[in-house]
Amino acid sequence: MTTDLRGAADQQRTEQLRATLTTEFETQTARLTELTADTGDPGEAHTQAALIAATRQSLAQIGDALRRLAEGSYGICERCDAPIPAERLEILPHARFCVPCQQKQG
C-alpha cells in the first residue's frame, strides 16, 4: 500500500511540474512576442536582442523538459543517469543534470 501512495505522490509531483513548465512556456512565449514587436528605438536594439536570445534559450530549455516528461526521461541526469533530486527540480524544473554533473559541465 505504501508503494501506491508513493506512486500517487510521484504522479502528482510530475503533473505539478508539467503544469509549472507549461505555464512558464506560455509566459516566455508571450514575452518573446512582446520583445520581437518593433519598438522603433534603435538605442535599445542591443538590449532587446540580448533579451530575445535569453528568452529563446529559456523556451528551448522548457521545451526540452516537457519533451523529457513526455518520453519518461525527465528527472534523470543526462550525464550519469542518476535521479535528479526533487528539490533541484522544484527550483530548476528544466534541469538536465544532477548537481555534481552540472558542476563538471561548467
Side-chain angles (χ1 to χ4, degrees), residues 7-89:
D10 288 344
Q11 185 175 359
Q12 183 179 13
R13 186 177 323 127
T14 299
E15 288 305 315
Q16 188 174 23
L17 284 168
R18 184 186 325 273
T20 299
L21 286 165
T22 301
T23 300
E24 184 61 21
F25 190 86
E26 292 167 355
T27 300
Q28 293 297 324
T29 300
R31 181 175 186 213
L32 185 61
T33 300
E34 290 173 14
L35 288 170
T36 55
D38 185 18
T39 63
D41 185 355
E44 293 183 14
H46 180 70
T47 301
Q48 187 171 4
L51 289 171
I52 289 170
T55 303
R56 285 184 176 151
Q57 180 180 9
S58 180
L59 281 168
Q61 291 171 335
I62 295 165
D64 286 345
L66 288 167
R67 178 190 48 80
R68 290 191 306 275
L69 267 170
E71 293 174 347
S73 61
Y74 182 81
I76 304 297
C77 178
E78 291 183 5
R79 188 169 195 184
C80 71
D81 291 327
I84 299 172
E87 296 81 13
R88 177 164 171 74
L89 293 171

